[in-house]
Amino acid sequence: MFECPSCRQILTKTQAGFGVIWQCPACTGRAVTLSLLRKGIDGGFLNEVWQEARGYSEAGHVGPRACPSCSLRMPQAHVPSAEGTQITVDVCITCYFIWLDAGEAALLPQKELAPDGSKKELTPQAREAIALAQVEALRNRKEREDTIRDSVPYPGSGSLWESALGWLLRL
């Protein structure tokens, strides 16, 4: 059972548009996981929130509120809202929970969509970075396969099945 960091009421599990959130029936604050917020909130904003909270935590600064999940005190991130006002968000860097006071969720900048309603297209630099990461992953996979093939004790043509057959025939 999760407890509200503001008023200590038991939080209610609620199905939201993107997934499950934990909401306080008394103060209407809510605990949301970082991964769930990434589905609908601007990634740059969330990165800023996360980096600021980590910086405060590493410097030993924590806020007054305890995480609803692990009860550790959460650092606060002071960030600009979608409307340009300053909001304070409590972040548990252990559980990846973000606590939003009543009304703060509406102030978070939403992900931008393309005019047709689809997700915004990646920049050429982002596409290139993804392609390079995929090539690197393929190269690593090939190296692992080569290492496994080269470590087979009875190399025939290099096939793992032929090596297994060789073992059986030697028995």
Side-chain angles (χ1 to χ4, degrees):
M1 294 242 176
F2 296 139
E3 187 177 275
C4 176
S6 296
C7 64
R8 304 288 180 235
Q9 296 291 316
I10 300 299
L11 300 179
T12 306
K13 185 177 179 179
T14 306
Q15 182 67 37
F18 289 113
V20 174
I21 63 170
W22 297 89
Q23 188 164 356
C24 178
C27 71
T28 68
R30 56 191 69 173
V32 185
T33 62
L34 183 63
S35 61
L36 182 63
L37 282 176
R38 286 199 184 283
K39 293 179 181 181
I41 304 301
D42 177 66
F45 172 82
L46 289 175
N47 289 341
E48 186 179 338
V49 166
W50 185 255
Q51 291 303 319
E52 185 168 333
R54 282 193 59 206
Y56 281 129
S57 179
E58 289 170 0
H61 302 292
V62 291
R65 294 182 173 158
C67 172
S69 178
C70 70
S71 300
L72 293 175
R73 288 181 44 206
M74 299 182 284
Q76 295 179 319
H78 309 284
V79 291
S81 71
E83 297 174 348
T85 60
Q86 190 83 359
I87 59 173
T88 300
V89 180
D90 301 280
V91 181
C92 181
I93 62 169
T94 303
C95 297
Y96 295 84
F97 260 135
I98 295 181
W99 178 259
L100 302 168
D101 290 324
E104 284 181 340
L107 299 174
L108 303 179
Q110 305 295 308
K111 273 189 177 177
E112 291 185 31
L113 298 178
D116 65 354
S118 63
K119 288 185 178 177
K120 190 175 177 183
E121 189 170 321
L122 296 174
T123 64
Q125 294 86 359
R127 286 196 304 270
E128 180 182 6
I130 290 170
L132 289 172
Q134 289 172 334
V135 167
E136 180 69 20
L138 287 171
R139 184 174 19 159
N140 290 339
R141 178 178 170 196
K142 175 75 171 127
E143 287 175 3
R144 283 192 308 274
E145 289 173 354
D146 289 347
T147 301
I148 291 170
R149 186 186 65 239
D150 292 344
S151 67
V152 174
Y154 293 99
S157 65
S159 164
L160 184 60
W161 289 107
E162 288 177 2
S163 297
L165 182 60
W167 272 96
L168 288 173
L169 293 176
R170 294 189 125 219
L171 295 177

